[in-house]
Amino acid sequence: MIIRETCVAIWDALHAAVMAQPHKEQWKEIADVFQKTCQFPNCAGAIDGKHIRIKKPVRSGSQYYNYKKYFSFILFAMCDANYSFRDIDVGSYGSRSDSAVFAHSEFGKMLQDKALDLPEHTTLPGTTSPAMPFVFVGDEAFALGENLMRPYSSRGLSLARRVFNYRLTRARRVVECAFGILANKWRFLHTPIHLKLETAISAVKAACVLHNFVRARDGYNFDDSLTHSLQSHRPSVVRGHRHGAAVREQFTAYFMSPHGALPWQLEAI
């Protein structure tokens, strides 16, 4: 009871201060950092989901039993290029896919309803047209959309599409780093959590806001941040939006243009 009450108190005290929903100007600041550190313009965040291993909840059947054959719930997160979590959704069944968790999360619904207060479309650096939307980057588990970029399928990729996948991965990996920093700092995430389900969810939420609090105060140690025990989801087959495909093609063309290309990108793919 003490653990749960403490975790709830930490979340209540810190959530609004360290994980408030960004407004329009803050989205622009986040995108500026992504452009500076990852060279992906108009990127407002990176998204991913991880399994949090738990003991089987009472009377839960197979809802929390995932494809890796252990019990878990999902930590879905959107983070900025400074490895801070800007939005999280904790507690979905471990048997669900990333795309389903995202679609039913508060963040996913707000993105779908255009309620995130994202900045107006703007041109990419060095160009005068077309005006491009601000986007979030994820892996192949997510559906392509106007504001959500995912990699091209790995089959028969052209050079330009391989470059796009490389550039997207450079931006998307920050959420992987954030999960690594989180798990290596709050080491109860390395092993199954032997708490009641509600308490385990509260503990993970508390760890996430403490992660942001410590990041803002102390910075971070990048060493070994990609090594952690949080398991990714199995990608599901999801169909993209036609407008999203057009946006992705525009980014692809930009990354091959003189204004958007990186000197080392062809050697890196």
Side-chain angles (χ1 to χ4, degrees):
M1 183 65 73
I2 291 172
I3 293 173
R4 184 176 183 187
E5 288 180 352
T6 301
C7 290
V8 170
I10 290 171
W11 171 262
D12 290 343
L14 291 180
H15 177 236
V18 302
M19 204 183 288
Q21 181 184 324
H23 53 70
K24 189 169 297 184
E25 291 304 316
Q26 289 174 322
W27 287 123
K28 290 180 181 178
E29 293 172 3
I30 292 171
D32 287 343
V33 179
F34 267 103
Q35 170 63 7
K36 181 179 179 181
T37 61
C38 305
Q39 292 78 51
F40 199 110
N42 286 28
C43 181
I47 61 175
D48 199 7
K50 294 295 181 183
H51 289 284
I52 305 297
R53 190 186 294 256
I54 56 174
K55 67 177 184 179
K56 181 182 178 181
V58 177
R59 295 185 295 275
S60 64
S62 61
Q63 291 174 319
Y64 291 94
Y65 194 65
N66 64 46
Y67 76 101
K68 291 182 176 289
K69 306 200 182 301
Y70 61 81
F71 292 94
S72 67
F73 60 76
I74 305 303
L75 165 60
F76 168 81
M78 186 275 288
C79 79
D80 61 27
N82 289 319
Y83 311 102
S84 292
F85 298 116
R86 292 298 185 136
D87 193 279
I88 61 172
D89 183 273
V90 187
S92 293
Y93 300 138
S95 59
R96 302 180 78 177
S97 66
D98 269 354
S99 57
V101 174
F102 172 71
H104 289 88
S105 69
E106 189 67 24
F107 175 80
K109 292 176 182 176
M110 292 183 71
L111 181 62
Q112 179 68 28
D113 296 338
K114 307 291 185 182
L116 285 176
D117 194 29
L118 291 173
E120 292 79 11
H121 293 18
T122 184
T123 56
L124 301 181
T127 67
T128 56
S129 66
M132 298 286 286
F134 283 76
V135 299
F136 299 90
V137 294
D139 61 19
E140 62 273 13
F142 298 96
L144 183 66
E146 180 184 4
N147 300 108
L148 181 54
M149 295 291 100
R150 56 169 281 175
Y152 288 101
S153 172
S154 58
R155 294 181 179 179
L157 288 178
S158 65
L159 177 64
R161 292 187 173 190
R162 288 166 59 199
V163 168
F164 174 86
N165 283 0
Y166 166 70
R167 297 288 292 271
L168 181 139
T169 299
R170 280 174 52 83
R172 191 192 64 79
R173 71 189 296 271
V174 301
V175 70
E176 292 281 347
C177 293
F179 283 132
I181 297 166
L182 175 74
N184 288 329
K185 186 74 172 180
W186 315 106
R187 302 189 70 85
F188 76 98
L189 294 171
H190 281 296
T191 59
I193 303 175
H194 290 278
L195 295 169
K196 290 182 178 180
L197 178 63
E198 296 80 5
T199 307
I201 291 172
S202 294
V204 172
K205 291 169 66 176
C208 289
V209 291
L210 285 171
H211 166 90
N212 282 10
F213 178 82
V214 172
R215 283 283 300 110
R217 187 190 67 181
D218 296 340
Y220 69 97
N221 181 0
F222 189 78
D223 292 343
D224 201 34
S225 64
L226 288 176
T227 304
H228 58 79
S229 59
L230 305 183
Q231 297 292 324
S232 298
H233 275 175
R234 176 174 54 186
S236 57
V237 178
V238 287
R239 303 193 65 162
H241 191 277
R242 188 171 297 178
H243 193 188
V247 172
R248 185 168 63 177
E249 289 293 339
Q250 290 288 349
F251 274 111
T252 302
Y254 177 74
F255 292 148
M256 295 298 291
S257 73
H259 296 296
L262 297 177
W264 65 85
Q265 65 186 24
L266 295 182
E267 287 75 22
I269 60 176

